[in-house]
């Protein structure tokens, strides 16, 4: 029996009419209007976020997933109630999906809070959706379980396996360099996304799927089955059943998202050669739970966490191959000595207990052993120096080793428009050993910190066969990209960070070995430049853009809105 002081199901969060009895009476009358009986309304109510959208093919299996989740909920004795929230499709959102992540998190949080539900299944997949849902759920505080939509299949182009989006960029670079013709670029365009689902390499979507499982927020094995498989539908059914279980046991999200869970997720991020975006997302999710992320400690963790997963862009394979190799159980088993095995998961069992229950290991070539890694350190390194006093990052596992210790002349672009105007000009004064610098693509600069940090190589150098250059910006890049690319320079140029004052011809030094990114210009000269050309911080007159520009934090704070982080501070992670 539910106690009056402990409302559940449809009795939760009554609408304010000044008469609680009437509020419940009215609510039941309306939901009965949808054909539900009193018997159904006595069950635990499980909300399901439906993030299907014609603008989001990565969520193209949403109707089937919702059906399977509903089945799982019903079989376990719950009442499923589906409701919509914002959906963000990566390549359909302007100026960038990141601009909308916090809005989706607020939508998710407030709908979880406003509507009566005892637990929620959040269905997400495309890059910003899973972070937004975890951020929102962490703030709402309900029992919650994450369901991933699943990756797309791979395609085949003239005998070669291809998939979004590492191969999208690779083929586009070949086209820009006149290595392939219009016919071929049109042909490959038909093969890169051969099914619905999320990008098939270790981009942000796959990274966040693995992180969600490492956090204990999905059912075991929830990260890797492709979107169109029966395995993905079984995961969905299981997820529905787990949601009923956590509703009954009141296993709220704060019991799952602990410092141990975040440290496990960081290990996994480093060991999968995961997307750099995930650092920003993990920082934001942790911030909602009251944890600050110490980037230097994360870097120390990286020095003792090898990349084990042989997936593009750091390796060779695709998500469907990771799934066939046993998925996260295979990876987590290999990482066991580095993990907190006592971290709790949504099943009510610990990560270690789930690993004991997983199918036995078998011979496979996608997850390497720790003594034979893809890369001897974690995929991401944190850089520091006078160009980035608040830090910057580089995905070292997807960079050219020859460029990781490099000093060169800066070739500066003031923003995206300047880049578009000049990058392909034959008159551009640029050589292969120069360093390309792009300003004003940080959180406030663009705004929304777009994935424009993968600065295209100047066409005239691409035609000469140049494949990589050191590139530096305050923006992000897609997790699917490859190159020696320094990102997330903090503080950003749009608020007057040192990046704002870099000039053409300045010397810059990158040393990944020493974790250094330095502008070889004196502090006095930088101060003189700042005074001569003060930065105008972007503003907006109204609306969401005003909220965004007024409250968005820097990359090291997760690019969350400052008022959304938890006011209660629990500590700093990782605690190495
Ligand atoms: Fe949606 Fe890549 S575009 S996951």
């Amino acid at each position: 029996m539910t106690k009056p002081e402990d409302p559940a199901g449809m009795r939760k969060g009554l609408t304010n009419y000044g008469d609680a009895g009437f509020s419940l009476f009215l609510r039941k009358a309306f939901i009965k209007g949808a054909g539900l009986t009193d018997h159904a309304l006595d069950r635990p109510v499980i909300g399901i976020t439906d993030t299907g959208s014609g603008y989001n093919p990565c969520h193209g299996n949403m109707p089937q997933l919702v059906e399977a989740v509903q089945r799982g909920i019903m079989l376990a004795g719950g009442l499923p109630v589906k409701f919509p929230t914002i959906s963000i499709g990566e390549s359909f959102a302007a100026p960038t999906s990141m601009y909308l992540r916090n809005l989706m998190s607020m939508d998710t949080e407030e709908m979880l809070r406003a509507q009566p539900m005892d637990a929620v299944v959040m269905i997400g997949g495309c890059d910003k959706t899973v972070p937004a849902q975890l951020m929102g759920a962490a703030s709402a505080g309900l029992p919650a379980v994450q369901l991933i939509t699943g990756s797309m299949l791979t395609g085949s182009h003239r005998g070669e396996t291809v998939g979004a989006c590492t191969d999208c960029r690779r083929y586009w670079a070949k086209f820009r360099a006149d290595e392939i013709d219009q016919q071929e670029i049109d042909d490959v365009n038909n093969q890169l996304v051969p099914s619905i689902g999320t990008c098939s390499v270790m981009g942000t979507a796959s990274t966040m799927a693995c992180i969600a499982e490492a956090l204990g927020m999905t059912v075991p094995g929830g990260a890797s089955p492709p979107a169109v498989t029966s395995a993905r539908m079984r995961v969905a059914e299981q997820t529905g059943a787990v949601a009923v279980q956590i509703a009954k046991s009141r296993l709220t999200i704060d019991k799952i998202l602990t410092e141990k869970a975040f440290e496990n997720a960081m290990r996994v991020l480093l060991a999968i050669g995961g997307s750099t975006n995930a650092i920003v997302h993990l920082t934001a999710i942790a911030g909602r739970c009251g944890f600050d992320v110490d980037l230097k400690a994360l870097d120390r963790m990286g020095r003792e966490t090898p990349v084990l997963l042989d997936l593009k862009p750091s390796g060779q394979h695709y998500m469907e191959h990771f799934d066939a190799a046993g998925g996260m159980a295979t990876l987590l088993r290999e990482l066991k000595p580095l993990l907190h095995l006592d971290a709790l998961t949504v099943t009510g069992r610990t990560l270690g207990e789930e690993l004991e229950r997983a199918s036995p290991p078998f011979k496979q070539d996608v997850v390497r052993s720790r003594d034979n890694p893809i890369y001897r350190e974690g995929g991401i390194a944190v850089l520091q120096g006078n160009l980035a006093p608040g830090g910057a990052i580089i995905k070292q596992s997807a960079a050219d080793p020859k460029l990781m210790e490099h000093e060169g002349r800066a070739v500066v672009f003031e923003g995206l428009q300047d880049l578009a105007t000049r990058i392909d000009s034959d008159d551009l004064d640029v050589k292969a050993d120069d360093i390309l610098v792009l300003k004003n693509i940080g959180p406030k600069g663009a705004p929304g910190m777009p994935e424009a940090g993968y600065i295209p190589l100047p066409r005239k150098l691409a035609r000469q066969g140049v494949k990589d250059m050191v590139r530096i910006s305050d923006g992000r890049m897609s997790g699917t990209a490859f190159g020696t690319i320094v990102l997330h320079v903090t503080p950003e140029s749009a608020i007057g960070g040192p990046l704002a004052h870099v000039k053409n011809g300045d010397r810059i030094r990158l040393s990944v070995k020493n974790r250094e990114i330095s502008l070889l210009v004196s502090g006095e000269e930088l101060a003189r430049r700042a005074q001569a050309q003060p930065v105008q911080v972007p503003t907006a007159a109204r609306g969401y853009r005003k909220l965004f520009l007024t409250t968005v934090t820097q990359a090291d704070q997760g690019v969350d809105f400052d008022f959304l982080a938890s006011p209660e501070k629990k500590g700093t992670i990782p605690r190495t």
Side-chain angles (χ1 to χ4, degrees):
M1 277 291 286
T2 307
K3 292 177 283 177
E5 67 275 17
D6 191 16
M10 287 296 161
R11 293 173 183 78
K12 285 188 79 171
L14 290 174
T15 313
N16 281 331
Y17 292 116
D19 176 345
F22 176 70
S23 296
L24 182 60
F25 171 75
L26 200 64
R27 176 175 287 175
K28 287 177 90 170
F30 273 94
I31 201 149
K32 284 178 182 173
L36 276 81
T37 62
D38 279 314
H39 176 62
L41 297 178
D42 277 344
R43 292 179 162 207
V45 177
I46 311 298
I48 306 169
T49 66
D50 180 343
T51 53
S53 161
Y55 290 107
N56 196 348
C58 305
H59 293 198
N61 55 350
M62 193 60 57
Q64 294 78 25
L65 288 174
V66 169
E67 187 187 329
V69 172
Q70 286 174 327
R71 184 168 66 245
I73 293 170
M74 296 286 280
L75 287 170
L79 174 67
V81 183
K82 170 185 90 157
F83 63 96
T85 69
I86 296 173
S87 185
I88 311 170
E90 188 61 26
S91 51
F92 297 87
T96 168
S97 59
M98 188 65 172
Y99 180 64
L100 299 168
R101 183 202 63 179
N102 297 349
L103 185 63
M104 183 174 174
S105 83
M106 291 167 76
D107 179 7
T108 304
E109 174 184 347
E110 296 307 331
M111 288 297 105
L112 263 55
R113 190 174 279 130
Q115 302 172 135
M117 62 190 82
D118 299 300
V120 64
V121 175
M122 302 178 297
I123 313 180
C126 196
D127 291 17
K128 307 304 174 294
T129 59
V130 172
Q133 291 178 326
L134 290 172
M135 290 159 70
S139 296
L142 286 178
V145 53
Q146 184 76 56
L147 174 61
I148 303 296
T149 58
S151 61
M152 61 183 73
L153 299 178
T154 55
S156 177
H157 172 66
R158 301 185 184 178
E160 186 194 349
T161 301
V162 292
C165 240
T166 306
D167 299 316
C168 310
R169 294 172 201 287
R170 190 163 58 83
Y171 273 92
W172 189 249
K174 284 185 183 198
F175 180 60
R176 278 177 57 80
D178 292 338
E179 289 173 23
I180 61 172
D181 59 15
Q182 188 69 45
Q183 172 75 51
E184 182 161 7
I185 198 73
D186 290 345
D187 284 353
V188 78
N189 192 253
N190 288 327
Q191 286 299 319
L192 289 163
V193 183
S195 76
I196 51 102
T198 57
C199 288
S200 52
V201 299
M202 191 44 75
T204 305
S206 303
T207 304
M208 290 309 302
C210 295
I211 280 179
E213 186 167 344
L215 283 169
M217 285 300 300
T218 72
V219 299
S224 60
V228 297
T229 57
S230 59
R232 175 54 60 196
M233 294 307 139
R234 287 192 294 275
V235 165
E237 186 186 300
Q238 271 179 288
T239 303
V242 161
V244 178
Q245 203 178 296
I246 59 176
K248 288 179 177 168
S249 62
R250 306 279 168 113
L251 185 61
T252 46
I253 193 166
D254 55 306
K255 299 183 181 98
I256 310 291
L257 295 183
T258 59
E259 56 264 80
K260 288 182 179 178
F262 282 111
E263 286 169 3
N264 285 343
M266 288 169 174
R267 286 281 181 206
V268 163
L269 166 62
L270 293 161
I272 61 179
S275 164
T276 47
N277 288 323
I279 289 192
V280 178
H281 298 321
L282 258 179
T283 304
I285 300 163
R288 297 296 185 96
C289 300
F291 298 109
D292 291 325
V293 170
D294 178 350
L295 286 175
K296 284 186 185 165
L298 179 67
D299 187 73
R300 286 198 292 279
M301 186 185 245
R303 289 186 188 260
E304 55 176 44
T305 312
V307 177
L308 302 181
L309 193 52
D310 190 1
L311 249 62
K312 289 190 175 192
S314 301
Q316 288 307 308
H317 296 290
Y318 296 83
M319 276 303 273
E320 64 191 64
H321 307 129
F322 179 40
D323 187 56
M328 285 292 284
T330 307
L331 179 85
L332 293 171
R333 240 187 229 117
E334 200 55 48
L335 284 177
K336 235 174 163 180
L338 301 174
L339 296 173
H340 301 292
L341 296 172
D342 57 342
L344 195 60
T345 78
V346 283
T347 61
R349 292 179 287 269
T350 65
L351 189 69
E353 287 168 339
E354 289 301 350
L355 280 180
E356 293 301 317
R357 291 164 61 100
S359 301
F362 54 90
K363 191 167 164 5
Q364 48 77 39
D365 65 352
V366 180
V367 180
R368 300 272 193 92
S369 63
R370 276 187 301 128
D371 49 21
N372 179 32
I374 290 287
Y375 195 80
R376 65 193 157 67
E377 290 187 356
I380 297 169
V382 179
L383 308 172
Q384 228 104 36
N386 68 342
L387 189 52
I393 57 168
I394 185 168
K395 188 168 182 176
Q396 52 179 343
S397 60
D400 183 343
K402 292 194 291 295
L403 288 174
M404 291 207 287
E405 303 298 315
H406 185 76
E407 185 185 314
R409 185 185 67 140
V411 175
V412 178
F413 299 91
E414 295 297 326
L416 289 169
Q417 188 56 49
D418 185 29
L419 178 75
T421 307
R422 294 193 296 123
I423 189 73
D424 286 339
S425 164
D426 286 337
D427 297 335
L428 184 67
D429 178 14
V430 65
K431 301 191 296 298
D433 61 356
D434 287 340
I435 293 179
L436 304 179
V437 175
L438 176 57
K439 301 178 184 177
N440 292 309
I441 61 163
K444 294 197 190 208
M449 207 180 176
E451 290 186 345
Y454 182 76
I455 305 166
L457 299 179
R459 198 190 289 267
K460 68 180 188 184
L461 294 182
R463 283 183 179 140
Q464 290 165 20
V466 175
K467 298 289 183 215
D468 193 9
M469 294 172 73
V470 175
R471 289 161 266 182
I472 300 175
S473 74
D474 44 14
R476 298 176 299 117
M477 77 169 181
S478 164
T480 63
F482 184 97
T484 312
I485 300 173
V486 177
L487 302 155
H488 308 185
V489 167
T490 304
E492 64 173 305
S493 52
I495 63 167
L499 186 69
H501 309 300
V502 181
K503 288 191 167 174
N504 278 322
D506 285 349
R507 306 287 297 175
I508 293 177
R509 182 166 63 228
L510 168 68
S511 170
V512 178
K513 186 170 58 142
N514 296 328
R515 301 297 196 254
E516 178 193 356
I517 183 75
S518 294
L519 177 63
L520 306 181
V521 171
S522 70
E524 297 74 43
E525 171 59 14
L526 283 178
R528 198 192 59 71
R529 290 180 190 179
Q531 202 168 27
Q533 277 192 310
V535 160
Q536 299 292 325
V537 179
T539 56
R542 63 164 297 282
Y544 179 68
R545 198 178 181 98
K546 182 172 184 174
L547 176 74
F548 189 98
L549 289 175
T550 313
T551 63
V552 75
T553 59
Q554 293 290 288
D556 60 343
Q557 304 285 305
V559 194
D560 202 359
F561 295 155
D562 54 13
F563 60 91
L564 292 175
S566 170
E568 182 201 344
K569 288 295 168 203
K570 294 183 185 165
T572 299
I573 49 172
R575 298 162 298 175
T576 55

